[in-house]
Amino acid sequence: MFDGRQQIVNSKILVIDDEQIIIDVITAHLNVAGFWNVVGISDSIDAVQRMKQENPDMVLLDISMPDVSGNYLIQIARADPNLKTVPLIVVTASDSEETHRRALELGADEVLTKPLQPGTLVQRVEHALSQKLALDVSTLHQRQARCKPVNEKYNELRGLGGRIP
């Protein structure tokens, strides 16, 4: 039987921030809520490749990082076919409306301001992953519907045992 809650808490979450303490705090909050598949990345240059390699279900990222900004990472994710539907939540110390607006324009799904409230963080993560799961299930059903006529014809031909009618 399909267990959506279990699917959500088993999701792989990348946390990208140049400050290891922020990664540790976010990871601890997520662990308490049952999310154990959390990967932290503190090197923004490494984050570009790791986002593609890790195949995450969600990314939490800072905007202000040395070398590679979070805004650039958003652009990379939204241009990549495998990452374009992955929820991106920006976690930033900036309360600037312009910073938040820019991140959303580039494709972030949401912006949270540090310091984070654990309950808000977990609620937003669960909501974003629930939406992604619903989208993934819908996409799967659409693919199955498109394949149904082909599968039916295949099964019909298999039933002939190799004989041509």
Side-chain angles (χ1 to χ4, degrees), residues 88-131:
L88 299 175
I89 297 180
V90 169
V91 180
T92 181
S94 172
D95 60 358
S96 159
E97 195 172 306
E98 175 60 25
T99 299
H100 292 214
R101 184 187 60 73
R102 180 74 177 134
L104 294 169
E105 283 176 354
L106 291 172
D109 294 287
E110 189 160 355
V111 179
L112 300 176
T113 305
K114 299 173 191 174
L116 295 168
Q117 298 300 316
T120 301
L121 171 67
V122 170
Q123 179 185 31
R124 302 294 170 81
V125 165
E126 288 176 345
H127 178 72
L129 288 170
S130 294
Q131 287 185 315

Side-chain angles (χ1 to χ4, degrees), residues 18-150:
D18 59 307
E19 295 183 49
Q20 186 63 45
I21 188 70
I22 300 296
I23 293 171
D24 294 343
V25 167
I26 290 172
T27 300
H29 292 322
L30 293 173
N31 288 168
V32 166
F35 294 93
W36 291 99
N37 196 1
V38 181
V39 177
I41 303 169
S42 61
D43 181 338
S44 60
I45 293 173
D46 186 37
V48 174
Q49 188 61 30
R50 294 279 304 276
M51 274 194 324
K52 295 178 181 186
Q53 288 174 340
E54 292 288 342
N55 193 29
D57 296 297
M58 165 176 270
V59 178
L60 298 165
L61 69 152
D62 189 14
I63 289 291
S64 300
M65 295 184 286
D67 302 316
V68 177
S69 77
N71 283 338
Y72 180 71
L73 293 175
I74 295 169
Q75 290 175 303
I76 293 291
R78 291 305 178 231
D80 186 300
N82 296 321
L83 295 170
K84 72 179 184 180
T85 62
V86 170
L88 299 175
I89 297 180
V90 169
V91 180
T92 181
S94 172
D95 60 358
S96 159
E97 195 172 306
E98 175 60 25
T99 299
H100 292 214
R101 184 187 60 73
R102 180 74 177 134
L104 294 169
E105 283 176 354
L106 291 172
D109 294 287
E110 189 160 355
V111 179
L112 300 176
T113 305
K114 299 173 191 174
L116 295 168
Q117 298 300 316
T120 301
L121 171 67
V122 170
Q123 179 185 31
R124 302 294 170 81
V125 165
E126 288 176 345
H127 178 72
L129 288 170
S130 294
Q131 287 185 315
K132 182 182 185 301
L133 179 60
L135 177 65
D136 290 349
V137 168
S138 174
T139 301
L140 177 64
H141 288 157
Q142 290 172 3
R143 286 182 183 160
Q144 289 173 332
R146 283 194 309 266
C147 291
K148 188 175 181 180
V150 173

